[in-house]
Amino acid sequence: MDHAMHHHTGAAPGATWSMAIRATLHCLLGCAVGEILGMAIGTSLMWGNVPTMALAIGLAFVFGYSFTLFAVVRAGVSPKAAVKIALAADTVSIAVMELVDNAIIALTPGAMDAELSEGLFWYALLGGFAVAFLVTTPVNKWMIGRGKGHAVVHAHH
């Protein structure tokens, strides 16, 4: 069966938990690289919490999109088309991941003021990633089942 037709049948047999977990892990990797880099840069420059978080979130999107972008370009898709695919594949997943992760960090007492060298910083960050993973996986499964999100990428593998 043609892959494009597969996504429009409504039955979504490809929307497995395994596929959703892989998509979410991919998203988590990009978010983690971007956030940790952003936190490290912001902290080393002695920025406040808001600009540091803004940088970290921005970099999470950049790295999340770029991982998909490079994979799709490597599969032979033009850069312009690859940007559209990455935006379609990752925007909701990264947004949910970042919202949940940063809410956990913001709500953890003392985490916003913790330094990179403190365990509290890392516990809050890793705990936020864990909760964000658990929340984002069902979102990705739902989107893949409707031919959205990472289902868009799978047409180019």
Side-chain angles (χ1 to χ4, degrees), residues 5-19:
M5 289 177 58
H6 167 79
H7 290 297
H8 298 293
T9 63
T16 65
W17 283 107
S18 175
M19 184 181 283

Side-chain angles (χ1 to χ4, degrees), residues 70-153:
F70 293 137
V72 174
V73 167
R74 201 171 41 240
V77 175
S78 74
K80 183 178 179 181
V83 168
K84 291 178 184 177
I85 292 165
L87 291 172
D90 293 330
T91 300
V92 172
S93 183
I94 295 170
V96 171
M97 178 97 34
E98 287 302 300
L99 177 69
V100 173
D101 172 48
N102 284 285
I104 297 294
I105 294 168
L107 294 172
T108 301
M112 293 295 293
D113 297 318
E115 298 291 324
L116 291 173
S117 61
E118 295 179 49
L120 178 59
F121 170 84
W122 293 102
Y123 292 134
L125 184 65
L126 296 175
F129 287 149
V131 173
F133 177 82
L134 293 174
V135 171
T136 307
T137 299
V139 171
N140 281 331
K141 185 176 186 300
W142 181 82
M143 289 178 55
I144 292 166
R146 280 143 192 78
K148 308 286 185 203
H150 271 263
V152 177
V153 174

Side-chain angles (χ1 to χ4, degrees), residues 2-62:
D2 179 285
H3 195 78
M5 289 177 58
H6 167 79
H7 290 297
H8 298 293
T9 63
T16 65
W17 283 107
S18 175
M19 184 181 283
I21 288 167
R22 284 193 311 272
T24 307
L25 286 171
H26 174 266
C27 175
L28 178 65
L29 179 61
C31 289
V33 169
E35 275 201 45
I36 291 168
L37 184 59
M39 296 286 188
I41 291 169
T43 299
S44 68
L45 295 175
M46 294 195 265
W47 289 359
N49 290 335
V50 172
T52 298
M53 283 187 87
L55 177 63
I57 292 168
L59 289 176
F61 274 91
V62 167

